[in-house]
Amino acid sequence: MVSWGASRCIDHAPEDVPEAMDRTLQDLQLDYVDLYLVHWPFRMEKGTIAASEFQKFCPVDICSTWKAMEKLYDSGKAHAIGVSNFSTKKLGDLLTYAHITPVVNQVECHSVWQQMHLRAFCESKGIHLSVSQATICSYHPQWMAPEVLRIEPSDEKCL
């Protein structure tokens, strides 16, 4: 059986990244993950995971966090590293100091929020833009309405 493992790092203090990876590997009972993502371009107090706790922001140093991610890649614990929820600006900033280009930027993108500029930027940098389809169905069922889904894929507005 072939398995594929991916996870997101939500502990962004550089010293917490290896510990978060070890926890992930233990939880998934794996020796490595195929893809490990920086979950978002901001930092909350360690252990904060609920959206209702967003008032617990801390200063963030994405450069140091990314360097810690690169070390995980170099160690073989992550076969690829990427980001999630990064804007064009945040991704552009990261690329100025990254030794390893993120392979993916996982973001919310759908018929209402198409993110065409971000998509073009990622494509120009060789970064895959990954979209979660669950976002459309779970949070905004109205986006599955027939009038939204009727847009033809060949229509450039959809791209």
Side-chain angles (χ1 to χ4, degrees), residues 69-104:
M69 295 288 287
E70 289 176 328
K71 287 180 183 174
L72 292 176
Y73 173 83
D74 290 340
S75 75
K77 290 184 177 183
H79 287 189
I81 54 176
V83 296
S84 183
N85 302 304
F86 273 55
S87 66
T88 302
K89 167 83 170 93
K90 295 285 186 187
L91 198 49
D93 291 347
L94 184 146
L95 292 174
T96 64
Y97 49 76
H99 294 293
I100 300 170
T101 300
V103 296
V104 68

Side-chain angles (χ1 to χ4, degrees), residues 33-134:
V33 293
D34 296 290
L35 175 63
Y36 202 49
L37 304 175
V38 174
H39 189 246
W40 39 50
F42 57 86
R43 183 173 157 224
M44 296 186 299
E45 290 179 10
K46 187 175 180 179
T48 303
I49 54 173
S52 63
E53 299 183 76
F54 272 63
Q55 67 275 11
K56 296 183 177 182
F57 287 113
C58 300
V60 64
D61 178 2
I62 293 295
C63 179
S64 296
T65 300
W66 189 251
K67 299 254 181 252
M69 295 288 287
E70 289 176 328
K71 287 180 183 174
L72 292 176
Y73 173 83
D74 290 340
S75 75
K77 290 184 177 183
H79 287 189
I81 54 176
V83 296
S84 183
N85 302 304
F86 273 55
S87 66
T88 302
K89 167 83 170 93
K90 295 285 186 187
L91 198 49
D93 291 347
L94 184 146
L95 292 174
T96 64
Y97 49 76
H99 294 293
I100 300 170
T101 300
V103 296
V104 68
N105 183 15
Q106 185 181 63
V107 297
E108 179 178 356
C109 184
H110 42 73
S111 57
V112 177
W113 190 17
Q114 297 179 24
Q115 303 223 47
M116 294 192 297
H117 182 68
L118 178 61
R119 196 163 109 201
F121 180 81
C122 287
E123 186 175 322
S124 75
K125 303 297 181 186
I127 300 169
H128 177 74
L129 189 67
S130 173
V131 177
S132 171
Q133 293 297 330

